[in-house]
Amino acid sequence: MSDTLILAVPSKGRLQENVHAFFARAGMPLVQARGAREYRGALGGVDNVEVAYLSASEIAAALASGAVHVGVTGEDLVRENIPDADKRVMLLEKLGFGHANVVVAVPQAWIDVRSMEDLDDVAGHFHARTGRRIRVATKYVNLTRSFFARHGIVDYRIVESAGATEGTPAAGSAELIVDITTTGATLAANALKVVDDGVMLRSEANLVASLTAPWGEAQHAAARAMFDRMAAEKRARTMREVRTRFIQCDTNLVDEAVSRFRCVAPFGGPTSSGMLTLHCPPDTLHALSLFLRERGASMVTVGPIEYVFAAENPLYEALQARLAGA
Ligand SMILES: Nc1ncnc2c1ncn2[C@@H]1O[C@H](COP(=O)(O)OP(=O)(O)OP(=O)(O)O)[C@@H](O)[C@H]1O
Ligand SMILES: O=P(O)(O)OC[C@H]1O[C@H](OP(=O)(O)OP(=O)(O)O)[C@H](O)[C@@H]1O
Ligand SMILES: [Mg+2]
């Protein structure tokens, strides 16, 4: 067995830039080997990781087959391209970018069609009137089949579309579509509207691990190191450091702060002189600083945190438990 962990990241498209920024922020810049046309690279700061640059949909396939150990790709592509996805891959974490909804969209001119139920009626009438089944253009064939089945719609036919799906109703090659949308601008430009209960999936970029790849000791060690840095970056990004010192500060007050403002006391209660450090989410910062001053603090400082390294490595622990068959 080889001793490298293979990490797949998008080589192009919507996710590429965000994925590069994500790894750089976590202190692991993607290092492209030689020229920009080289499809293999390394991960700065972590040994034994080989980076494979693939398209977002190729990443889903490579995770399913076990050709790569870890990858970043959209959940839409995982669900569409991997049958029984939860048996073959593990979605470790949503990454907060690459948001897009997979939706059912019909021509705006279909004023009577608001729900999937309305669509079912139209599909039946269409079949009765024309002798043909209504056509749905999409590249999300599997997602569409299972969503339509769940809504009891059977009178339709899928027309596979590789690109410019939104243009197919106007071009006359389909009656409606299933595609991904973020701003809605492309749908609007093509005079299409989303069916009210037609949001099939709310997707975003995910950190995904393959359950079928060969996981040896070296790959475990590389994943542990990589996920440790990601967790350190995430804890830091989602918290601010709050510092204060006042003599009335005691453990009861810290307990109250922790439960009311969702903070963490990373180093425990206050020192004997009342020095306290808290990590606090941005949305409760001002309320916390008011609270501390009401209880006697004359000064509270708040600052950003670069990394928070902790004993726990939640991403690695989750993966390890799953690989061990737990
Ligand atoms: N507005 C958007 N449109 C399409 N995809 C988006 C959007 N926003 C985020 N994504 C995510 O990015 C993924 C990759 O889409 P993108 O269009 O960048 O790939 P691509 O280069 O066309 O890939 P491929 O060649 O494999 O089809 C999507 O599957 C989705 O998860
Ligand atoms: O709701 P919007 O913000 O308008 O985004 C949706 C559009 O973006 C994607 O296409 P993309 O630009 O990735 O081109 P592609 O079809 O060539 O992949 C997607 O297929 C939609 O057409
Ligand atoms: Mg695209």
Side-chain angles (χ1 to χ4, degrees), residues 238-239 256-264 279-284:
T238 52
M239 292 286 182
E256 190 178 343
V258 165
S259 71
R260 279 180 61 188
F261 306 106
R262 305 195 320 279
C263 3
V264 185
H279 290 172
C280 180
D283 61 323
T284 59

Side-chain angles (χ1 to χ4, degrees), residues 14 139 162-164 166 179-187:
R14 304 269 186 154
K139 67 173 177 187
E166 293 91 343
D179 203 0
I180 201 156
T181 176
T182 303
T183 62
T186 312
L187 292 176

Side-chain angles (χ1 to χ4, degrees), residues 12-15 55-57 74 76-77 98-100 139-140 180 182 203:
K12 63 178 182 96
R14 304 269 186 154
L15 303 177
S55 83
S57 53
D76 57 325
L77 298 172
H99 289 278
K139 67 173 177 187
Y140 296 94
I180 201 156
T182 303
S203 177

